[in-house]
């Protein structure tokens, strides 16, 4: 399966980045790719073998889906690996340097959207995350 990678530098310390990435009270504020979408609810049990579920919906109610999977590996402040319900694998790596964190997400491509559409959507979510962290 083809892998796609997106990344971003966030100006914050690793503890803040980790907390904002993993706590549902923060996830709902950044986990969407477009201003016309939102994340009305998120559940997250950050334990290997446990599930997460982040609801993503169009604000007008016309579309929505659950982004969900099971954690397969967690190294606090460094790495999160999970498997989506369609068996695709996702790795999220966190690299801290000089009060910044580089986040690198690598994920298996899906067959519905083009690679570029997938890359653009996942990158937009990273941009939302960066903005949320750096302004809160």
């Amino acid at each position: 399966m083809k892998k796609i990678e997106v990344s971003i530098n966030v100006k914050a310390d690793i503890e803040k980045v980790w907390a904002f990435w993993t706590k549902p009270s923060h996830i709902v504020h950044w986990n969407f790719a477009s201003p016309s979408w939102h994340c009305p609810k998120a559940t997250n049990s950050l334990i290997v073998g446990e599930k997460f579920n982040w609801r993503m919906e169009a604000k007008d109610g016309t579309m929505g889906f659950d982004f969900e999977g099971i954690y397969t590996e967690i190294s606090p402040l460094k790495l999160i690996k999970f498997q989506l319900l369609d068996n695709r694998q996702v790795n999220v790596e966190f690299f801290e340097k000089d009060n910044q964190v580089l986040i690198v997400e690598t994920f298996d491509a899906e067959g519905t959207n083009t690679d570029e559409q997938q890359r653009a959507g996942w990158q937009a979510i990273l941009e939302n995350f960066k903005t949320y962290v750096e302004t809160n």
Side-chain angles (χ1 to χ4, degrees), residues 25-135:
S25 60
H26 293 297
I27 294 167
V28 296
H29 294 286
W30 59 263
N31 188 48
F32 42 89
S34 149
S36 63
W37 280 65
H38 66 150
C39 180
K41 69 177 183 162
T43 58
N44 198 32
S45 183
L46 193 64
I47 299 168
V48 172
E50 295 289 323
K51 291 183 177 183
F52 68 89
N53 181 304
W54 305 342
R55 182 70 186 166
M56 301 167 86
E57 294 180 354
K59 288 180 180 176
D60 66 6
T62 58
M63 298 176 64
F65 64 94
D66 290 324
F67 183 77
E68 57 188 326
I70 299 171
Y71 290 110
T72 58
E73 185 178 339
I74 298 166
S75 179
L77 307 179
K78 297 187 183 309
L79 174 71
I80 298 172
K81 290 185 177 184
F82 56 90
Q83 180 175 308
L84 298 172
L85 294 187
D86 64 3
N87 294 322
R88 293 184 299 131
Q89 304 295 313
V90 180
N91 296 344
V92 186
E93 296 177 277
F94 302 83
F95 302 97
E96 183 179 30
K97 183 178 178 184
D98 300 328
N99 202 39
Q100 288 191 66
V101 178
L102 171 64
I103 301 170
V104 179
E105 281 189 292
T106 307
F107 60 95
D108 292 338
E110 44 95 340
T112 305
N113 298 293
T114 68
D115 291 354
E116 190 50 45
Q117 288 171 319
Q118 293 173 72
R119 183 177 291 106
W122 285 61
Q123 186 67 46
I125 293 170
L126 281 181
E127 296 288 342
N128 285 344
F129 179 76
K130 174 185 175 73
T131 300
Y132 178 70
V133 171
E134 292 180 357
T135 58

